[in-house]
Amino acid sequence: MKQRTITAIIAGLIFVPIVLLGGTPFTIFVYLLASIAIFELMRMKHIARYSISSLITLLFMWSLMLPESVPYHLNIFVSKSELSLLAVLLLLSYTVLVNNRFTFDDAGFVLISAIYVGMGFYYLIETRQSGGLDYVFYALFVVWATDTGAYIFGRLFGKRKLWPKISPKKTVEGALGGIILASVVAVIFQLVHPLHSSMLLLVAVTILISITGQIGDLVESAFKRHYLVKDSGKILPGHGGVLDRFDSLIFMLPVLHLINFIP
């Protein structure tokens, strides 16, 4: 517990000032986080970090994280869909070049991983740039409140297992408690610093993304259980890897943008 607390304080002292600063330093920091996260996934699958397939995956993920306006400024008229197709063709060609030591299954894994991680962190950058600090901290508060509520309600009232084969400690009561506390925090946030003109809509969106965040957490748990690892990485002592800490957020932020909640 002491190690977890110390790590959380140090991580907060690094992360919060960079979020406040925004701009290029924030973008570079998010790219770094995403790069660590993609390597965590490839390590689970036992795909070599220093390989052509890893390089293609990393470059593909970085391209997905570029703002839509960048290709036009650089006179590069290639859409992200075309870049995705290029990555598919390169990775499938690579399976032939290495005589299936890197397989079709591996190619599918790294492609989905790059989209999952890349687009999740892309929307973190977009949220900071288009929505500003208000929406970033709203999303962070909802994540923290959901996790805290799930833990407290799960310990006090948890009886029915939510998904025992994936995450044995999570309960239905805990999941509901996470949604409740996230909604309470969102209401307080709205009263202190109004985020939207409609309190009712804000609560409805909060419930949606709280559920989405918990699904993101379960997805990460499913990865780890399938690949028989305790944590996605060891970069955060007591907390695991980057994906262990950002799994909910990178599921939640695309939903906020898809429903046009962020301006």
Side-chain angles (χ1 to χ4, degrees):
M1 188 64 181
K2 181 180 178 181
Q3 180 65 74
R4 286 177 64 87
T5 303
I6 293 173
T7 300
I9 292 172
I10 294 174
L13 290 174
I14 295 172
F15 182 70
V16 172
I18 293 176
V19 173
L20 292 173
L21 184 60
T24 300
F26 178 73
T27 299
I28 292 173
F29 183 65
V30 174
Y31 266 77
L32 176 61
L33 290 175
S35 301
I36 295 170
I38 197 71
F39 283 126
E40 288 176 351
L41 280 171
M42 287 193 284
R43 185 181 67 86
M44 289 186 200
K45 192 71 167 61
H46 303 294
I47 295 172
R49 179 180 301 177
Y50 303 108
S51 64
I52 292 176
S53 60
S54 294
L55 178 60
I56 294 171
T57 304
L58 187 64
L59 292 175
F60 172 47
M61 185 192 71
W62 285 349
S63 72
L64 293 177
M65 295 174 65
L66 288 172
E68 297 294 344
S69 59
V70 168
Y72 296 100
H73 292 321
L74 298 178
N75 293 320
I76 301 172
F77 301 105
V78 180
S79 68
K80 291 185 179 182
S81 296
E82 291 167 331
L83 286 171
S84 300
L85 177 59
L86 177 61
V88 170
L89 295 177
L90 288 173
L91 287 167
L92 291 180
S93 299
Y94 184 65
T95 65
V96 176
L97 292 174
V98 297
N99 295 317
N100 263 346
R101 289 193 301 276
F102 178 81
T103 67
F104 184 86
D105 290 344
D106 293 332
F109 176 87
V110 297
L111 284 166
I112 292 176
S113 297
I115 295 170
Y116 159 55
V117 175
M119 294 308 296
F121 281 103
Y122 162 78
Y123 280 113
L124 177 56
I125 296 171
E126 279 293 295
T127 301
R128 178 63 182 89
Q129 291 181 346
S130 61
L133 286 172
D134 294 350
Y135 286 90
V136 172
F137 281 109
Y138 161 70
L140 289 173
F141 287 154
V142 170
V143 168
W144 295 334
T146 299
D147 289 346
T148 303
Y151 175 78
I152 294 172
F153 277 70
R155 288 291 299 269
L156 294 176
F157 310 110
K159 293 181 180 179
R160 288 167 290 186
K161 298 296 183 181
L162 180 64
W163 214 297
K165 290 185 178 180
I166 291 178
S167 189
K169 294 183 179 180
K170 287 184 172 59
T171 63
V172 173
E173 293 81 6
L176 293 174
I179 296 170
I180 292 169
L181 187 57
S183 300
V184 171
V185 168
V187 169
I188 296 172
F189 193 101
Q190 174 76 356
L191 292 174
V192 174
H193 189 86
L195 190 69
H196 196 275
S197 58
S198 171
M199 175 72 82
L200 183 61
L201 180 59
L202 178 70
V203 172
V205 169
T206 300
I207 292 171
L208 174 62
I209 63 172
S210 179
I211 293 171
T212 305
Q214 292 189 64
I215 292 172
D217 187 47
L218 285 169
V219 167
E220 176 63 16
S221 296
F223 285 159
K224 293 186 289 187
R225 189 159 293 274
H226 180 73
Y227 292 108
L228 303 177
V229 297
K230 183 178 182 295
D231 295 311
S232 64
K234 300 179 180 178
I235 194 169
L236 300 169
H239 291 267
V242 168
L243 277 176
D244 291 312
R245 294 299 93 204
F246 284 86
D247 50 9
S248 296
L249 195 66
I250 62 178
F251 248 70
M252 177 189 297
L253 291 175
V255 172
L256 284 174
H257 284 266
L258 287 171
I259 62 176
N260 295 318
F261 187 71
I262 295 178

